[in-house]
RNA sequence: GCGACCGUGGCGGAACUGGUAGACGCGCCAGCCUUAGGAGCUGGUGGGGCAACCCGUGGGGGUUCGAGUCCCUCCGGUCGCACCA
């Protein structure tokens, strides 16, 4: 007998990767595919450190799913690209003094090499980078569509300003009042910013969530982010006839409103301030403005504020109540003014206590002391509404005030319009030209892209204006409308705009005269399966949904939901902490792949824990996967050298095979890769106990292994005598009858305690099983002659005798 | 503070609608083979006990013939939001 060659992953993986490239194995025919399956994973930001295990964990999980679908007969399109614009790249480029335009292609080259090496089923013909003018031309086109539809607008707004990165940040990029990237406390600045009117779609974005097949955690994050609140606007009038509108979700507590608070930025503050209070109020406004967003936003026990010296009438009680300004009221939510009900709101309670303002209880709830925040109670001190339950009273009070024109029911969202302006260099310039006569004019679509000039001096300064403004040859242009002197918009757009539509571009990368081809889009979109990290649950995934709704509304795409199916994978941490460069705990996969091979490392990552939960990276168990692959390797080689059909199949090994196929199929479909791998291991152990496998028992195993360990599966498929790729094979089918046949072990309990086990044929009748149970020695001992009061019987599982 | 998820051997983790807790893997122990082994093979491995048995899924309580799974409560952890009226 010839010797089995040894398993040498490095050589074998290089062989198959070369063969896949030569034979275009991973490149479906995008025009003629019969069963299109668009398998998308979140494209990486090509950092200088290269692909880390977190990326590889995510990509492997998504790749396994794509390969599985392929084996089920789908034409799977699995593209890959690079999200290469943005502050990350720019800051890194600044720190090492290299131009990002030089740095990024190098990083991409590294990523590409790593992505090929791990064995992803990527269709490299359709690679894209957001920094490519052929790509961002269409990002700019997208901006123009929104601009023309009135969904992009410019306004002066208080924005989050990072004094270190010298740029504005989106609300989503501010974590605990600090810059997401550098941790510097964020300040308030007032700048002219471009916004997208995402709030216009708030209700639809919320409603649509119910139609999505998404991880429930992701849906919940989006729902909270959109933050829908039902309530009413109430009108408080001053003796001078000024009207102050407040938003409240608790109109049932209006009888307890003992003062009003306006945000310091509220436009009515000035007019409502009494002469003698002016210096104090002005000083307070200045103080608040100079505060950074951290101390402004982080709610703590100590509140600050100033009495304006004037009063307004409570619409319910008719009482005059004092008007204050305080920074615990935010200008960008509701109307920027609140009615304060200290008895029933924690913040108002703290404020009233601190400034000795009246507290009037209007809700009673047993066992609770003020402030009673719950709406479960019953009204008191509320005139005709006394005794009503809070929730019922709310509607009645609004109706009562509405009749007198003092209330309007209203829905409020926490979601803000999306600020897409960035005063930076490394992004797509916003395609607008300012003309003294015509105002803001769209760059004509034929002039796109507005290329990012290759300037050496790309450092941001603290003027609040992008470095692009310093480059006159680029900055000054003719107005496209009147031909007069114009200036370019110098802001670039947010990277989240780049990534909001990349899935539309992938199938159409070879078309240069359109962002996405209609036929291709009809065939491949929406995306069939999307797998990615929950860190993008409220940013990328929300913006993509919004952009898709807009494109649908404008007639550019036939669907309004980009990702009908989304699964969030877990996070790989190291020593209990998120991997990050600053912690110095980033694990780079290259060394592991070099030592063990891509197949072993892929499977190891998937075996670490449930894919959708993630886990802590250690390398202790990796040898277990290698041992498993070695065993499969040996079994297959031995079977290939043995005469056909030897050794013969026994019923028990056939049952095991069919049960294994059933489990691996279900688990792979559900992304439960750790248990699918365990099931294959069990099967291999069973074959080895039996002495050997044969072709009939091993071919299904090799096919099931292929999504997990594609290179070794290809090699073994060849060893088994096939001259086509294993990915042209079909996923094995199982016979439900065979899968559920065979003996089962039944638990035998007396009074709920396990006393014995019984092996019986599956499906044996209850009375026969019980008869055998009663004859069992161990059972007799515990029944001890007492009458059996009750028999609990679960088919094929257990018998419990109650005595 | 609010919301969501989670807590199982020495370790990572299994356990369908409540029904044999600890699958699978790592590690460890013993033996075989070896000049040697960070290789391979065989067997064992939740705790206690010679044993029959008893105890065990963060703590306490409950529902049930039966609870890792359901309910209440407390403790601990992870993530998200955070003065959103």
């Amino acid at each position: 007998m010839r010797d089995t060659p040894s398993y040498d992953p490095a050589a074998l993986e290089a062989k198959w990767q070369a063969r896949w490239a030569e034979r275009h194995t991973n490149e479906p025919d995008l025009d003629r595919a019969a069963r299109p399956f668009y398998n998308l994973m979140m494209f990486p930001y090509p950092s200088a450190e290269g692909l880390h295990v977190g990326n590889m964990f995510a990509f492997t999980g998504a790749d396994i799913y794509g390969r599985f679908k392929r084996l089920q007969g789908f034409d799977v399109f699995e593209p890959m690209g690079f999200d290469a614009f943005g502050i990350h790249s720019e800051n890194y480029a600044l720190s090492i003094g290299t131009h990002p335009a030089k740095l990024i292609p190098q990083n991409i080259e590294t990523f590409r090499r790593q992505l090929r090496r791990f064995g992803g089923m990527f269709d490299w013909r359709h690679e894209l980078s957001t920094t490519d003018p052929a790509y961002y031309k269409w990002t700019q086109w997208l901006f123009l569509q929104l601009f023309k539809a009135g969904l992009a607008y410019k306004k002066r707004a208080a924005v989050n300003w990072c004094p270190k990165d010298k740029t504005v940040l989106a609300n989503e990029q501010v974590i605990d009042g600090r810059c997401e990237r550098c941790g510097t406390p964020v300040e308030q600045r007032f700048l002219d910013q471009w916004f997208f009117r995402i709030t216009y779609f708030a209700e639809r974005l919320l409603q649509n969530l119910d139609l999505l097949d998404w991880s429930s955690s992701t849906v919940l994050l989006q729902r909270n982010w959109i933050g829908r609140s039902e309530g009413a606007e109430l009108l408080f009038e001053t003796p001078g006839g000024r009207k102050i509108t407040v938003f409240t979700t608790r109109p049932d507590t209006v009888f307890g409103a003992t003062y009003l608070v306006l945000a310091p930025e509220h436009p009515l503050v000035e007019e409502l301030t009494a002469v003698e209070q002016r210096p104090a109020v002005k000083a307070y406004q200045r103080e608040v403005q100079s505060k950074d967003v951290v101390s402004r936003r982080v709610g703590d026990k100590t509140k600050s504020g100033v009495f304006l010296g004037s009063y307004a009438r409570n619409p319910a009680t008719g009482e005059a109540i004092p008007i204050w300004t305080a920074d615990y009221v935010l200008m960008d939510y509701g109307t920027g003014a609140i009615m304060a009900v200290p008895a029933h709101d924690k913040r108002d309670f703290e404020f009233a206590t601190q400034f000795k303002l009246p507290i009037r209880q209007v809700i009673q709830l047993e066992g609770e002391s003020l402030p009673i925040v719950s709406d479960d109670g019953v009204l008191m001190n509320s005139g005709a509404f006394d005794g009503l339950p809070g929730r019922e009273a709310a509607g009645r009070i609004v109706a009562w005030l509405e009749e007198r024109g003092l209330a309007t029911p209203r829905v409020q969202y926490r979601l803000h319009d999306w600020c897409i302006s960035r005063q930076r260099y490394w992004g797509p310039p916003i395609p607008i030209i300012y003309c003294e006569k015509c105002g803001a004019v769209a760059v004509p679509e034929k002039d796109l892209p507005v290329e990012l000039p290759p300037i050496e001096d790309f450092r941001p300064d603290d003027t609040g204006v992008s470095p692009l403004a310093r480059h006159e040859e680029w900055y000054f242009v003719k107005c496209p409308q009147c031909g007069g002197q114009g200036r370019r918009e110098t802001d670039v757009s947010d990277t989240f705009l780049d990534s909001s539509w990349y899935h539309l571009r992938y199938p159409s990368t070879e078309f240069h005269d359109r962002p996405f081809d209609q036929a291709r889009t009809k065939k491949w979109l929406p995306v069939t399966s999307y797998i990615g990290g929950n860190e993008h649950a409220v940013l990328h995934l929300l913006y993509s949904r919004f952009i898709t709704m807009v494109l649908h509304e404008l007639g550019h795409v036939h669907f309004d939901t980009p990702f009908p199916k989304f699964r969030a994978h877990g996070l790989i941490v190291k020593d209990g902490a998120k991997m990050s460069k600053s912690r110095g705990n980033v694990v780079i996969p290259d060394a592991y792949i070099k030592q063990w091979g891509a197949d072993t490392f892929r499977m190891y990552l998937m075996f670490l824990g449930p894919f959708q939960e993630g886990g802590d990276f250690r390398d202790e168990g990796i040898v277990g996967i290698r041992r498993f692959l070695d065993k499969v390797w040996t079994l297959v080689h031995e079977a290939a050298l043995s005469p056909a059909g030897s050794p013969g199949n026994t019923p028990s090994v056939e049952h095991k095979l069919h049960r294994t196929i059933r489990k691996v199929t279900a688990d792979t479909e559900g992304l439960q890769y750790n248990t699918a791998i365990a099931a294959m291991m069990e099967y291999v152990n069973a074959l080895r106990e039996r002495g050997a496998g044969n072709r009939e028992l091993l071919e299904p195993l090799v096919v099931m292994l292929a999504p997990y360990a594609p290179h070794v599966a290809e090699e073994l498929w060849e060893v088994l005598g096939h001259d086509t790729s294993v990915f042209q094979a079909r996923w094995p089918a199982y016979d439900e009858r065979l899968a559920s046949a065979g003996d089962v072990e039944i638990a035998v309990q007396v009074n709920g305690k396990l006393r014995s086990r019984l092996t019986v044929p599956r499906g044996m009748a209850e009375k026969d099983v019980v008869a055998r149970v009663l004859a069992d020695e161990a059972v007799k001992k515990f029944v001890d002659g007492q009458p059996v009061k009750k028999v609990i019987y679960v088919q094929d599982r257990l018998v419990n005798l109650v005595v």
Side-chain angles (χ1 to χ4, degrees):
Chain A
M1 199 187 261
R2 281 172 295 159
D3 283 340
T4 296
S6 69
Y7 171 35
D8 174 9
L12 180 157
E13 288 172 5
K15 165 183 162 184
W16 286 99
Q17 282 166 15
R19 197 170 288 184
W20 291 334
E22 274 162 34
R23 299 191 181 169
H24 306 283
T25 311
N26 301 333
E27 301 164 13
D29 184 330
L30 295 191
D31 297 313
R32 273 173 284 278
R35 299 176 72 194
F37 190 104
Y38 189 167
N39 189 48
L40 186 67
M41 54 198 94
M42 290 178 173
F43 64 165
Y45 146 68
S47 70
E49 301 85 57
L51 192 79
H52 59 77
V53 282
N55 298 126
M56 193 172 148
F57 175 79
F59 294 152
T60 300
D63 185 61
I64 287 170
Y65 194 64
R67 290 181 179 276
F68 170 64
K69 286 293 153 186
R70 166 125 183 218
L71 286 161
Q72 287 188 326
F74 290 95
D75 296 290
V76 178
F77 177 47
E78 192 173 293
M80 181 48 70
F82 303 98
D83 190 16
F85 265 141
I87 296 176
H88 265 100
S89 312
E90 187 174 329
N91 286 351
Y92 184 74
L94 285 167
S95 74
I96 65 161
T98 308
H99 199 279
K102 205 159 155 190
L103 200 62
I104 286 299
Q106 294 169 10
N107 294 354
I108 287 180
E109 189 45 46
T110 306
F111 267 68
R112 209 184 274 130
R113 183 180 52 72
Q114 290 176 302
L115 287 163
R116 284 181 196 273
R117 183 65 191 88
F118 102 93
M121 195 177 64
F122 301 120
D123 182 347
W124 290 105
R125 292 171 310 171
H126 289 269
E127 178 191 334
L128 62 78
S129 167
T130 53
T131 56
D132 184 349
Y135 181 88
Y136 72 70
K137 169 180 180 175
W138 302 112
T139 306
Q140 292 170 337
W141 172 87
L142 189 60
F143 174 90
L144 292 179
Q145 305 316 302
L146 277 103
F147 178 68
K148 288 174 190 166
L151 293 168
Y153 65 95
K154 203 168 193 187
K155 75 169 182 202
R156 179 164 284 262
V159 293
N160 306 298
W161 174 266
C162 174
K164 179 154 178 287
D165 289 346
K166 298 184 169 58
T167 189
V168 291
L169 302 169
N171 285 343
E172 296 88 322
Q173 291 165 331
V174 180
I175 308 293
D176 289 333
R178 290 165 181 275
C179 174
E180 168 191 70
R181 301 171 196 288
C182 64
T184 310
V186 170
E187 297 171 359
Q188 285 184 76
R189 275 221 180 176
F190 291 86
L191 294 172
D192 284 328
Q193 308 285 329
W194 283 100
F195 285 85
F196 280 172
R197 221 179 280 281
I198 189 170
T199 51
Y200 179 74
F201 290 83
E203 189 59 36
R204 281 168 62 185
L205 287 165
L206 193 65
Q207 299 284 326
N208 234 310
L209 286 172
D210 296 332
L211 310 173
L212 303 176
D213 174 14
W214 278 23
S215 295
S216 55
S217 58
T218 315
V219 171
L220 191 71
L221 285 165
Q222 287 219 353
R223 189 162 280 139
N224 291 344
W225 192 260
I226 296 169
R228 184 181 199 272
S229 299
E230 278 183 30
E233 282 186 355
L234 304 183
L235 215 57
F236 288 70
E237 274 183 78
T238 67
R242 298 250 172 262
K243 295 179 198 306
I244 303 162
T245 309
V246 305
F247 173 73
T248 179
T249 53
R250 296 293 304 278
D252 52 316
T253 63
V254 64
F255 284 87
T258 52
Y259 62 101
L260 287 181
V261 188
L262 307 189
E265 304 87 352
H266 198 288
L268 284 176
V269 169
E270 204 180 328
E271 307 175 37
L272 292 174
T273 303
V275 182
E276 67 278 10
Q277 284 296 89
R278 269 186 198 153
V281 169
K282 276 259 175 302
Y284 183 67
Q285 285 178 314
R286 269 197 301 277
E287 183 197 320
V288 169
Q289 231 193 72
S290 70
K291 265 191 198 175
D292 60 72
V293 183
V294 185
S295 33
R296 168 80 194 259
R297 286 255 166 174
V298 172
D300 56 33
K301 292 273 178 288
T302 328
K303 299 240 176 319
S304 67
V306 183
F307 176 42
L308 298 187
S310 63
Y311 295 82
R313 199 164 43 245
N314 180 317
T317 63
E319 259 177 310
I321 58 173
I323 308 171
W324 286 64
T325 182
D327 70 353
Y328 82 92
V329 173
L330 307 171
M331 195 57 224
D332 59 7
Y333 184 77
T335 61
I338 62 151
M339 64 173 198
V341 185
H344 305 291
D345 181 280
K346 207 170 141 265
R347 298 150 298 179
D348 297 344
F349 185 81
E350 284 161 8
F351 191 81
T353 307
Q354 204 177 313
F355 291 98
K356 307 211 168 20
L357 289 157
I359 297 170
R360 183 194 293 147
Q361 182 175 0
V362 292
I363 302 270
Q364 240 176 332
L365 189 62
E366 219 161 297
E368 295 273 319
S369 57
L370 296 186
I372 301 170
V373 177
S374 161
D375 63 352
D376 283 335
V378 169
L379 267 66
M380 61 187 280
N381 290 332
S382 297
F385 301 95
D386 281 0
L388 283 178
R391 267 160 279 190
E392 190 190 333
R396 296 243 208 135
I397 288 175
V398 172
W400 170 64
L401 293 173
E402 206 177 351
E403 263 171 47
R404 294 190 285 143
L406 296 171
T408 320
R410 157 129 183 238
V411 173
Q412 177 69 40
Y413 301 91
R414 209 189 67 114
L415 183 70
H416 289 82
D417 275 344
W418 175 14
C419 176
I420 60 142
S421 285
R422 296 293 178 273
Q423 286 69 43
R424 299 289 292 228
Y425 169 70
W426 193 236
I430 291 174
I432 290 288
I433 292 167
Y434 298 101
C435 164
E436 285 188 11
K437 267 190 276 174
C438 314
V441 179
V443 171
E445 287 180 18
K446 67 173 171 51
D447 295 342
L448 296 182
V450 176
E451 285 209 38
L452 186 63
I455 58 176
E456 277 311 311
D457 173 23
F458 61 92
R459 261 160 221 288
D461 56 35
D462 54 12
T463 58
V465 174
S466 159
L468 290 172
R470 297 196 296 260
H471 295 269
E472 298 189 353
E473 69 291 349
W474 182 87
Y475 184 47
F476 293 107
V477 283
K478 286 214 164 63
C479 168
Q481 244 167 53
C482 69
Q485 183 60 259
R487 298 168 291 114
R488 285 193 190 279
E489 168 62 67
T490 56
D491 288 356
V492 299
S493 57
D494 185 3
T495 34
F496 282 108
L497 184 59
D498 302 331
S499 58
S500 70
W501 74 284
Y502 77 117
H503 54 285
L504 286 167
R505 185 64 186 161
Y506 274 137
S508 298
T509 45
E510 71 268 48
F511 297 99
H512 293 291
D513 59 345
R514 62 201 96 164
F516 39 88
D517 179 68
Q518 281 305 319
R520 286 278 172 84
T521 302
K522 282 236 160 66
K523 196 167 183 70
W524 290 93
L525 284 132
V527 170
T528 323
S529 164
Y530 196 20
I531 292 176
N534 243 352
E535 69 272 19
H536 289 123
V538 290
L539 311 169
H540 163 61
L541 287 171
L542 186 65
Y543 295 148
S544 280
R545 294 211 295 133
F546 160 62
I547 290 295
T548 305
M549 275 184 190
V550 171
L551 288 173
H552 179 62
E553 196 90 327
L554 299 176
H556 293 291
V557 295
H558 63 281
F559 51 90
D560 67 352
T561 289
F563 316 123
K565 179 177 175 183
F566 171 76
R567 290 292 178 275
H569 63 245
L571 211 65
I572 289 291
V573 296
K574 176 78 174 122
D575 306 322
K578 213 162 158 173
M579 279 186 217
S580 73
K581 212 179 144 196
S582 55
R583 282 198 192 83
N585 62 354
V586 178
V587 180
I588 302 296
D590 297 29
Y592 291 101
I593 291 179
K594 192 167 179 216
Q595 186 183 352
W596 298 97
D599 285 335
T600 296
F601 196 58
R602 282 167 65 105
M603 280 189 87
Y604 178 64
L605 287 177
M606 296 301 106
F607 194 57
L608 215 54
F611 180 60
Q612 292 178 84
E613 285 168 38
D616 205 317
F617 182 82
R618 323 160 300 278
D619 53 17
E620 280 97 32
I622 194 164
V623 68
I625 296 289
R626 176 56 190 266
R627 285 177 191 150
F628 165 71
L629 290 177
D630 276 330
K631 288 172 191 170
V632 178
W633 177 269
T634 307
L635 278 172
V636 169
H637 276 84
E638 283 170 2
L641 296 173
S642 315
S646 67
N649 295 347
T650 58
S652 89
V653 77
E654 287 208 323
H655 300 156
K656 184 79 189 164
L657 169 65
H658 285 265
R659 267 200 292 280
T660 303
I661 298 173
R662 182 170 65 184
K663 175 134 182 85
V664 175
T665 306
D667 286 358
T668 306
E669 178 61 50
L671 314 183
Q672 285 152 313
Y673 301 141
N674 55 335
T675 50
I677 293 169
M680 289 190 271
M681 288 174 166
E682 270 191 73
Y683 179 60
V684 165
N685 293 343
L687 291 182
R688 281 162 51 83
E689 257 165 56
R690 179 175 171 267
N694 60 38
R695 199 171 295 268
E696 216 177 299
L697 294 171
L698 287 167
E699 286 206 349
L701 175 68
V702 170
V703 176
M704 288 190 288
L705 188 62
Y708 293 86
H711 313 85
V712 72
E714 287 276 29
E715 183 70 19
L716 294 176
W717 192 244
E718 195 176 68
V719 167
L720 286 167
H722 299 277
D723 53 13
T724 52
S725 166
V726 67
F727 293 99
Q728 280 165 294
R730 280 296 155 264
W731 188 260
Y734 61 91
D735 182 328
E736 185 58 52
R737 272 185 20 256
L738 286 173
S740 0
D743 288 344
V744 274
E745 200 180 46
I746 286 189
V748 179
Q749 299 179 339
V750 178
N751 288 335
K753 289 210 178 232
L754 183 72
R755 295 304 181 189
S756 180
R757 295 167 213 260
L758 214 56
T759 303
V760 300
R762 205 176 285 261
M764 192 180 191
E766 175 172 354
K767 62 175 185 2
D768 299 331
V769 177
V770 173
R772 284 186 56 184
V773 164
L774 291 171
D776 188 279
E777 282 307 317
V779 172
K780 276 185 183 162
K781 186 176 147 199
F782 284 94
V783 170
D784 195 24
Q786 301 167 81
V788 175
K789 285 188 220 145
K790 199 172 169 188
V791 178
I792 312 278
Y793 178 79
V794 182
Q795 181 74 50
D796 294 338
R797 288 219 157 245
L798 100 166
V799 173
N800 184 13
L801 304 178
V802 185
V803 297

